[in-house]
mmCIF file of all heavy atoms in Angstrom:
data_model
loop_
_atom_site.group_PDB
_atom_site.id
_atom_site.type_symbol
_atom_site.label_atom_id
_atom_site.label_comp_id
_atom_site.label_asym_id
_atom_site.label_seq_id
_atom_site.Cartn_x
_atom_site.Cartn_y
_atom_site.Cartn_z
ATOM 1 N N THR K 97 -15.784 6.160 -10.808
ATOM 2 C CA THR K 97 -16.865 5.135 -10.418
ATOM 3 C C THR K 97 -16.472 4.377 -9.111
ATOM 4 O O THR K 97 -15.298 4.548 -8.642
ATOM 5 C CB THR K 97 -16.946 4.073 -11.592
ATOM 6 O OG1 THR K 97 -15.669 3.355 -11.555
ATOM 7 C CG2 THR K 97 -17.300 4.653 -12.885
ATOM 8 N N ASP K 98 -17.369 3.703 -8.497
ATOM 9 C CA ASP K 98 -17.143 3.113 -7.215
ATOM 10 C C ASP K 98 -16.125 1.978 -7.395
ATOM 11 O O ASP K 98 -15.313 1.785 -6.493
ATOM 12 C CB ASP K 98 -18.549 2.464 -6.666
ATOM 13 C CG ASP K 98 -19.409 3.512 -6.023
ATOM 14 O OD1 ASP K 98 -18.897 4.585 -5.735
ATOM 15 O OD2 ASP K 98 -20.542 3.244 -5.941
ATOM 16 N N SER K 99 -16.180 1.212 -8.514
ATOM 17 C CA SER K 99 -15.200 0.158 -8.650
ATOM 18 C C SER K 99 -13.828 0.705 -8.888
ATOM 19 O O SER K 99 -12.778 0.129 -8.295
ATOM 20 C CB SER K 99 -15.585 -0.710 -9.886
ATOM 21 O OG SER K 99 -15.587 0.033 -11.068
ATOM 22 N N ASN K 100 -13.617 1.834 -9.540
ATOM 23 C CA ASN K 100 -12.337 2.515 -9.698
ATOM 24 C C ASN K 100 -11.827 2.987 -8.344
ATOM 25 O O ASN K 100 -10.617 2.935 -8.067
ATOM 26 C CB ASN K 100 -12.330 3.672 -10.723
ATOM 27 C CG ASN K 100 -12.385 3.150 -12.143
ATOM 28 O OD1 ASN K 100 -12.081 1.970 -12.422
ATOM 29 N ND2 ASN K 100 -12.726 3.982 -13.098
ATOM 30 N N ARG K 101 -12.737 3.502 -7.617
ATOM 31 C CA ARG K 101 -12.372 4.065 -6.227
ATOM 32 C C ARG K 101 -11.873 2.872 -5.342
ATOM 33 O O ARG K 101 -10.895 3.035 -4.640
ATOM 34 C CB ARG K 101 -13.529 4.812 -5.596
ATOM 35 C CG ARG K 101 -13.215 5.418 -4.221
ATOM 36 C CD ARG K 101 -14.322 6.127 -3.644
ATOM 37 N NE ARG K 101 -15.555 5.288 -3.432
ATOM 38 C CZ ARG K 101 -15.695 4.425 -2.462
ATOM 39 N NH1 ARG K 101 -14.733 4.228 -1.583
ATOM 40 N NH2 ARG K 101 -16.767 3.637 -2.385
ATOM 41 N N ARG K 102 -12.689 1.794 -5.383
ATOM 42 C CA ARG K 102 -12.246 0.685 -4.542
ATOM 43 C C ARG K 102 -10.937 0.139 -4.944
ATOM 44 O O ARG K 102 -10.139 -0.186 -3.998
ATOM 45 C CB ARG K 102 -13.283 -0.405 -4.637
ATOM 46 C CG ARG K 102 -14.539 -0.227 -3.759
ATOM 47 C CD ARG K 102 -15.495 -1.361 -3.617
ATOM 48 N NE ARG K 102 -16.042 -1.786 -4.914
ATOM 49 C CZ ARG K 102 -17.166 -1.356 -5.454
ATOM 50 N NH1 ARG K 102 -17.833 -0.484 -4.748
ATOM 51 N NH2 ARG K 102 -17.577 -1.796 -6.533
ATOM 52 N N LEU K 103 -10.640 -0.075 -6.188
ATOM 53 C CA LEU K 103 -9.408 -0.511 -6.715
ATOM 54 C C LEU K 103 -8.278 0.411 -6.272
ATOM 55 O O LEU K 103 -7.253 -0.062 -5.748
ATOM 56 C CB LEU K 103 -9.344 -0.714 -8.207
ATOM 57 C CG LEU K 103 -8.051 -1.073 -8.786
ATOM 58 C CD1 LEU K 103 -7.650 -2.450 -8.286
ATOM 59 C CD2 LEU K 103 -8.185 -1.070 -10.339
ATOM 60 N N LEU K 104 -8.478 1.786 -6.462
ATOM 61 C CA LEU K 104 -7.465 2.708 -6.075
ATOM 62 C C LEU K 104 -7.261 2.638 -4.569
ATOM 63 O O LEU K 104 -6.030 2.578 -4.189
ATOM 64 C CB LEU K 104 -7.964 4.147 -6.470
ATOM 65 C CG LEU K 104 -7.056 5.262 -5.981
ATOM 66 C CD1 LEU K 104 -5.667 5.170 -6.498
ATOM 67 C CD2 LEU K 104 -7.687 6.636 -6.306
ATOM 68 N N ARG K 105 -8.239 2.542 -3.699
ATOM 69 C CA ARG K 105 -7.956 2.497 -2.242
ATOM 70 C C ARG K 105 -7.223 1.255 -1.875
ATOM 71 O O ARG K 105 -6.371 1.257 -0.980
ATOM 72 C CB ARG K 105 -9.278 2.570 -1.528
ATOM 73 C CG ARG K 105 -10.038 3.814 -1.692
ATOM 74 C CD ARG K 105 -9.394 5.016 -0.904
ATOM 75 N NE ARG K 105 -10.279 6.121 -0.896
ATOM 76 C CZ ARG K 105 -9.884 7.300 -1.458
ATOM 77 N NH1 ARG K 105 -8.757 7.442 -2.088
ATOM 78 N NH2 ARG K 105 -10.808 8.307 -1.467
ATOM 79 N N LYS K 106 -7.566 0.109 -2.543
ATOM 80 C CA LYS K 106 -7.018 -1.111 -2.195
ATOM 81 C C LYS K 106 -5.372 -0.985 -2.594
ATOM 82 O O LYS K 106 -4.620 -1.475 -1.752
ATOM 83 C CB LYS K 106 -7.597 -2.213 -3.006
ATOM 84 C CG LYS K 106 -6.973 -3.611 -2.956
ATOM 85 C CD LYS K 106 -7.643 -4.583 -3.807
ATOM 86 C CE LYS K 106 -6.896 -5.942 -3.823
ATOM 87 N NZ LYS K 106 -5.856 -5.962 -4.863
ATOM 88 N N LEU K 107 -5.083 -0.526 -3.813
ATOM 89 C CA LEU K 107 -3.737 -0.414 -4.126
ATOM 90 C C LEU K 107 -2.928 0.606 -3.315
ATOM 91 O O LEU K 107 -1.796 0.383 -3.017
ATOM 92 C CB LEU K 107 -3.631 -0.014 -5.631
ATOM 93 C CG LEU K 107 -4.063 -1.085 -6.586
ATOM 94 C CD1 LEU K 107 -4.198 -0.485 -8.043
ATOM 95 C CD2 LEU K 107 -3.116 -2.191 -6.598
ATOM 96 N N GLN K 108 -3.654 1.666 -2.904
ATOM 97 C CA GLN K 108 -2.967 2.641 -1.985
ATOM 98 C C GLN K 108 -2.598 1.985 -0.652
ATOM 99 O O GLN K 108 -1.509 2.134 -0.155
ATOM 100 C CB GLN K 108 -3.885 3.826 -1.695
ATOM 101 C CG GLN K 108 -4.036 4.769 -2.814
ATOM 102 C CD GLN K 108 -5.058 5.873 -2.659
ATOM 103 O OE1 GLN K 108 -6.081 5.657 -1.835
ATOM 104 N NE2 GLN K 108 -4.981 7.108 -3.169
ATOM 105 N N ARG K 109 -3.531 1.187 -0.138
ATOM 106 C CA ARG K 109 -3.168 0.514 1.166
ATOM 107 C C ARG K 109 -2.067 -0.459 0.974
ATOM 108 O O ARG K 109 -1.230 -0.671 1.774
ATOM 109 C CB ARG K 109 -4.429 -0.199 1.692
ATOM 110 C CG ARG K 109 -5.478 0.647 2.329
ATOM 111 C CD ARG K 109 -6.485 -0.120 3.042
ATOM 112 N NE ARG K 109 -7.221 -1.027 2.181
ATOM 113 C CZ ARG K 109 -8.280 -0.716 1.396
ATOM 114 N NH1 ARG K 109 -8.849 0.468 1.524
ATOM 115 N NH2 ARG K 109 -8.946 -1.555 0.590
ATOM 116 N N GLU K 110 -2.135 -1.206 -0.199
ATOM 117 C CA GLU K 110 -1.105 -2.302 -0.475
ATOM 118 C C GLU K 110 0.303 -1.576 -0.646
ATOM 119 O O GLU K 110 1.353 -2.102 -0.207
ATOM 120 C CB GLU K 110 -1.470 -2.998 -1.729
ATOM 121 C CG GLU K 110 -0.624 -4.302 -1.815
ATOM 122 C CD GLU K 110 -1.205 -5.165 -2.989
ATOM 123 O OE1 GLU K 110 -2.371 -5.047 -3.351
ATOM 124 O OE2 GLU K 110 -0.379 -5.980 -3.433
ATOM 125 N N VAL K 111 0.367 -0.423 -1.394
ATOM 126 C CA VAL K 111 1.666 0.250 -1.544
ATOM 127 C C VAL K 111 2.159 0.709 -0.291
ATOM 128 O O VAL K 111 3.385 0.566 0.027
ATOM 129 C CB VAL K 111 1.459 1.460 -2.514
ATOM 130 C CG1 VAL K 111 2.582 2.394 -2.447
ATOM 131 C CG2 VAL K 111 1.214 0.951 -3.953
ATOM 132 N N LYS K 112 1.327 1.270 0.553
ATOM 133 C CA LYS K 112 1.740 1.739 1.836
ATOM 134 C C LYS K 112 2.377 0.578 2.734
ATOM 135 O O LYS K 112 3.361 0.724 3.365
ATOM 136 C CB LYS K 112 0.560 2.400 2.574
ATOM 137 C CG LYS K 112 0.901 3.092 3.915
ATOM 138 C CD LYS K 112 -0.303 3.799 4.413
ATOM 139 C CE LYS K 112 0.005 4.520 5.747
ATOM 140 N NZ LYS K 112 -1.173 5.198 6.317
ATOM 141 N N THR K 113 1.591 -0.443 2.765
ATOM 142 C CA THR K 113 2.076 -1.653 3.497
ATOM 143 C C THR K 113 3.450 -2.244 3.043
ATOM 144 O O THR K 113 4.289 -2.494 3.742
ATOM 145 C CB THR K 113 0.985 -2.788 3.451
ATOM 146 O OG1 THR K 113 -0.220 -2.198 4.038
ATOM 147 C CG2 THR K 113 1.425 -3.922 4.323
ATOM 148 N N ARG K 114 3.527 -2.365 1.698
ATOM 149 C CA ARG K 114 4.712 -2.909 1.064
ATOM 150 C C ARG K 114 5.934 -1.939 1.188
ATOM 151 O O ARG K 114 7.080 -2.376 1.585
ATOM 152 C CB ARG K 114 4.496 -3.143 -0.382
ATOM 153 C CG ARG K 114 3.426 -4.195 -0.739
ATOM 154 C CD ARG K 114 3.931 -5.605 -0.466
ATOM 155 N NE ARG K 114 4.962 -6.051 -1.301
ATOM 156 C CZ ARG K 114 4.747 -6.456 -2.563
ATOM 157 N NH1 ARG K 114 3.569 -6.550 -3.014
ATOM 158 N NH2 ARG K 114 5.764 -6.928 -3.260
ATOM 159 N N ILE K 115 5.732 -0.669 1.167
ATOM 160 C CA ILE K 115 6.855 0.269 1.363
ATOM 161 C C ILE K 115 7.307 0.212 2.910
ATOM 162 O O ILE K 115 8.438 0.208 3.188
ATOM 163 C CB ILE K 115 6.431 1.757 0.960
ATOM 164 C CG1 ILE K 115 6.436 1.757 -0.607
ATOM 165 C CG2 ILE K 115 7.469 2.704 1.493
ATOM 166 C CD1 ILE K 115 6.093 3.098 -1.150
ATOM 167 N N ALA K 116 6.318 0.149 3.773
ATOM 168 C CA ALA K 116 6.685 0.123 5.194
ATOM 169 C C ALA K 116 7.465 -1.247 5.476
ATOM 170 O O ALA K 116 8.371 -1.249 6.240
ATOM 171 C CB ALA K 116 5.401 0.157 6.067
ATOM 172 N N ASP K 117 6.958 -2.305 4.832
ATOM 173 C CA ASP K 117 7.691 -3.620 5.047
ATOM 174 C C ASP K 117 9.150 -3.577 4.562
ATOM 175 O O ASP K 117 10.054 -4.032 5.110
ATOM 176 C CB ASP K 117 6.959 -4.724 4.327
ATOM 177 C CG ASP K 117 5.580 -5.024 4.968
ATOM 178 O OD1 ASP K 117 5.429 -4.664 6.164
ATOM 179 O OD2 ASP K 117 4.768 -5.788 4.376
ATOM 180 N N SER K 118 9.271 -2.881 3.359
ATOM 181 C CA SER K 118 10.615 -2.792 2.808
ATOM 182 C C SER K 118 11.528 -1.918 3.663
ATOM 183 O O SER K 118 12.726 -2.317 3.834
ATOM 184 C CB SER K 118 10.556 -2.100 1.401
ATOM 185 O OG SER K 118 9.840 -2.825 0.472
ATOM 186 N N ARG K 119 10.967 -0.788 4.203
ATOM 187 C CA ARG K 119 11.781 -0.020 5.166
ATOM 188 C C ARG K 119 12.104 -0.841 6.341
ATOM 189 O O ARG K 119 13.283 -0.758 6.765
ATOM 190 C CB ARG K 119 10.957 1.169 5.579
ATOM 191 C CG ARG K 119 10.951 2.345 4.620
ATOM 192 C CD ARG K 119 10.424 3.529 5.273
ATOM 193 N NE ARG K 119 10.248 4.548 4.285
ATOM 194 C CZ ARG K 119 9.069 5.242 3.966
ATOM 195 N NH1 ARG K 119 8.005 4.970 4.617
ATOM 196 N NH2 ARG K 119 9.092 6.154 3.055
ATOM 197 N N ASN K 120 11.186 -1.606 6.964
ATOM 198 C CA ASN K 120 11.515 -2.421 8.133
ATOM 199 C C ASN K 120 12.556 -3.514 7.835
ATOM 200 O O ASN K 120 13.457 -3.707 8.654
ATOM 201 C CB ASN K 120 10.252 -3.093 8.647
ATOM 202 C CG ASN K 120 9.336 -1.984 9.325
ATOM 203 O OD1 ASN K 120 9.787 -0.939 9.798
ATOM 204 N ND2 ASN K 120 8.064 -2.288 9.397
ATOM 205 N N GLU K 121 12.472 -4.063 6.674
ATOM 206 C CA GLU K 121 13.410 -5.136 6.257
ATOM 207 C C GLU K 121 14.796 -4.480 6.161
ATOM 208 O O GLU K 121 15.812 -5.024 6.598
ATOM 209 C CB GLU K 121 13.040 -5.812 4.995
ATOM 210 C CG GLU K 121 11.841 -6.702 5.062
ATOM 211 C CD GLU K 121 11.296 -7.255 3.756
ATOM 212 O OE1 GLU K 121 12.005 -6.982 2.705
ATOM 213 O OE2 GLU K 121 10.214 -7.738 3.716
ATOM 214 N N ARG K 122 14.885 -3.286 5.479
ATOM 215 C CA ARG K 122 16.171 -2.606 5.258
ATOM 216 C C ARG K 122 16.729 -2.229 6.654
ATOM 217 O O ARG K 122 17.920 -2.409 6.897
ATOM 218 C CB ARG K 122 15.987 -1.443 4.385
ATOM 219 C CG ARG K 122 17.332 -0.672 4.220
ATOM 220 C CD ARG K 122 17.095 0.439 3.169
ATOM 221 N NE ARG K 122 18.229 1.379 3.169
ATOM 222 C CZ ARG K 122 19.340 1.176 2.469
ATOM 223 N NH1 ARG K 122 19.461 0.183 1.707
ATOM 224 N NH2 ARG K 122 20.301 2.102 2.466
ATOM 225 N N TRP K 123 15.926 -1.701 7.481
ATOM 226 C CA TRP K 123 16.371 -1.316 8.819
ATOM 227 C C TRP K 123 16.867 -2.500 9.698
ATOM 228 O O TRP K 123 17.913 -2.435 10.328
ATOM 229 C CB TRP K 123 15.175 -0.580 9.639
ATOM 230 C CG TRP K 123 15.605 -0.077 10.913
ATOM 231 C CD1 TRP K 123 15.054 -0.450 12.113
ATOM 232 C CD2 TRP K 123 16.522 0.940 11.112
ATOM 233 N NE1 TRP K 123 15.662 0.269 13.153
ATOM 234 C CE2 TRP K 123 16.588 1.128 12.585
ATOM 235 C CE3 TRP K 123 17.444 1.652 10.403
ATOM 236 C CZ2 TRP K 123 17.420 2.050 13.262
ATOM 237 C CZ3 TRP K 123 18.247 2.594 11.018
ATOM 238 C CH2 TRP K 123 18.266 2.854 12.405
ATOM 239 N N ASP K 124 16.098 -3.620 9.571
ATOM 240 C CA ASP K 124 16.508 -4.849 10.223
ATOM 241 C C ASP K 124 17.884 -5.316 9.748
ATOM 242 O O ASP K 124 18.813 -5.685 10.487
ATOM 243 C CB ASP K 124 15.535 -5.904 10.145
ATOM 244 C CG ASP K 124 14.245 -5.751 10.932
ATOM 245 O OD1 ASP K 124 14.257 -4.963 11.840
ATOM 246 O OD2 ASP K 124 13.211 -6.383 10.570
#
């Protein structure tokens, strides 16, 4: 459904951002 797709896309973006932030923090 559209609502499931929107939730999935939102969580995918959030996961990608959080993992990138974690990598950057570890690198720093």
Side-chain angles (χ1 to χ4, degrees):
T97 63
D98 283 340
S99 62
N100 283 346
R101 183 181 55 80
R102 279 192 298 273
L103 176 63
L104 174 59
R105 296 287 190 244
K106 176 183 173 273
L107 289 171
Q108 286 172 332
R109 285 189 301 272
E110 195 172 337
V111 164
K112 186 177 179 181
T113 302
R114 296 287 292 282
I115 288 177
D117 290 345
S118 295
R119 278 191 186 125
N120 288 336
E121 289 170 11
R122 180 174 166 87
W123 185 242
D124 287 343

